[in-house]
Amino acid sequence: MIKTLFISGANNHDWERSTPYCKQLLEQSGKFSITVTENPSEILENAQELKNYQLFFSDYNGPMWSETAKANFESAVKNGTGLVILHAADNAFPGWVAYEKMVGFLWREGTGHGRFHQFKVEIVDHNHPITKGIDDFMQWDELYHKLVHMHNVPYKVLAHAYSAPDTGGTGNYEPMIVTTQYGQGRIFHQVLGHIWKGQEQMQAFESKGFQETLIRGCEWTATGKVS
């Protein structure tokens, strides 16, 4: 079982639904043992406790953590703890250079999205363990556009989607699933996964493609392979 720390408790999106949904999805795969924290600074200040986890899953976009928590988080990922970034977690922590280097593509000045709509997510790397054997899929979601590539971080785009002008998009293909590396730590960035507070539907989480790539991405991030 992959011991996983879910980092949550604050987000401009509806973490009170997305976190338990993703927790249940991963647990049902039979591959993950999950602890959820809604007070990340507290648990992240305990460097010894963090050694228990193979994977961090961030559904967090909120106040900056303490300096001790940030240092411990950086050290853990640099030394091999995997990191999953879900949707608005790429909005977090402007100015924290190490975090920006982990994520690679972030919501910063100039980033946006059109209206919530259905679009095709196209797999562009069919050889990566996360996406090998995965077909293109249709997704109801926000389609983030003009994510900012920061600090010249090397990256791989595993899937992208066309941001159509008639839905408020750019007319370009935009990255939807991205991997990066920080020291020994693998990072899986799932740009998809929008659920707004007070918005009843959770369509963004219900597509087979979203669920498959999320589970596989978490496993690969923690272990370097997909079973």
Side-chain angles (χ1 to χ4, degrees):
M1 299 285 274
I2 297 167
K3 293 203 69 175
T4 304
L5 179 65
F6 250 68
I7 299 169
S8 190
N11 206 311
N12 58 321
H13 290 63
D14 195 350
W15 64 268
E16 292 177 301
R17 284 192 286 168
S18 57
T19 291
Y21 190 101
C22 292
K23 176 178 183 288
Q24 183 180 36
L25 181 68
L26 295 183
E27 287 177 336
Q28 287 176 341
S29 75
K31 300 175 182 179
F32 301 88
S33 172
I34 295 173
T35 300
V36 175
T37 178
E38 296 180 10
N39 187 4
S41 263
E42 182 177 5
I43 194 168
L44 293 172
E45 285 178 357
N46 187 338
Q48 193 63 35
E49 171 70 14
L50 297 186
K51 293 180 180 179
N52 294 324
Y53 298 102
Q54 294 170 263
L55 181 66
F56 298 148
F57 187 118
S58 182
D59 190 15
Y60 183 90
N61 179 27
M64 187 72 79
W65 301 331
S66 70
E67 290 303 314
T68 299
K70 288 163 61 181
N72 289 344
F73 184 82
E74 289 176 29
S75 178
V77 176
K78 192 172 186 178
N79 288 312
T81 304
L83 173 62
V84 173
I85 299 294
L86 178 66
H87 196 56
D90 67 18
N91 296 203
F93 305 131
W96 180 9
V97 173
Y99 184 82
E100 293 173 339
K101 286 183 175 180
M102 294 177 205
V103 182
F105 282 91
L106 295 102
W107 180 293
R108 294 296 184 255
E109 186 176 354
T111 307
H113 62 79
R115 69 171 185 267
F116 188 91
H117 68 290
Q118 190 178 42
F119 53 88
K120 180 187 281 189
V121 178
E122 301 179 25
I123 307 300
V124 296
D125 187 338
H126 293 276
N127 295 314
H128 194 281
I130 295 173
T131 46
K132 190 172 184 177
I134 298 287
D135 295 326
D136 298 347
F137 59 94
M138 299 302 296
Q139 176 79 6
W140 283 94
D141 218 317
E142 281 183 342
L143 202 166
Y144 277 5
H145 58 236
K146 296 185 179 179
L147 289 170
V148 179
H149 179 214
M150 301 195 73
H151 309 296
N152 295 312
V153 171
Y155 64 91
K156 289 185 178 180
V157 175
L158 307 187
H160 65 196
Y162 180 67
S163 178
D166 62 2
T167 62
T170 59
N172 298 316
Y173 280 90
E174 304 287 350
M176 294 291 106
I177 300 174
V178 183
T179 62
T180 54
Q181 184 102 10
Y182 185 76
Q184 299 301 309
R186 289 174 292 272
I187 292 90
F188 168 67
H189 181 184
Q190 175 61 281
V191 180
L192 305 166
H194 173 73
I195 176 65
W196 205 243
K197 295 177 181 179
Q199 180 176 303
E200 291 184 8
Q201 54 80 26
M202 291 190 68
Q203 289 170 291
F205 292 81
E206 293 169 352
S207 77
K208 181 180 178 182
F210 174 86
Q211 295 182 3
E212 285 184 338
T213 55
L214 187 66
I215 293 168
R216 291 166 68 108
C218 289
E219 184 180 10
W220 174 82
T221 304
T223 70
K225 59 186 179 181
V226 175
S227 60

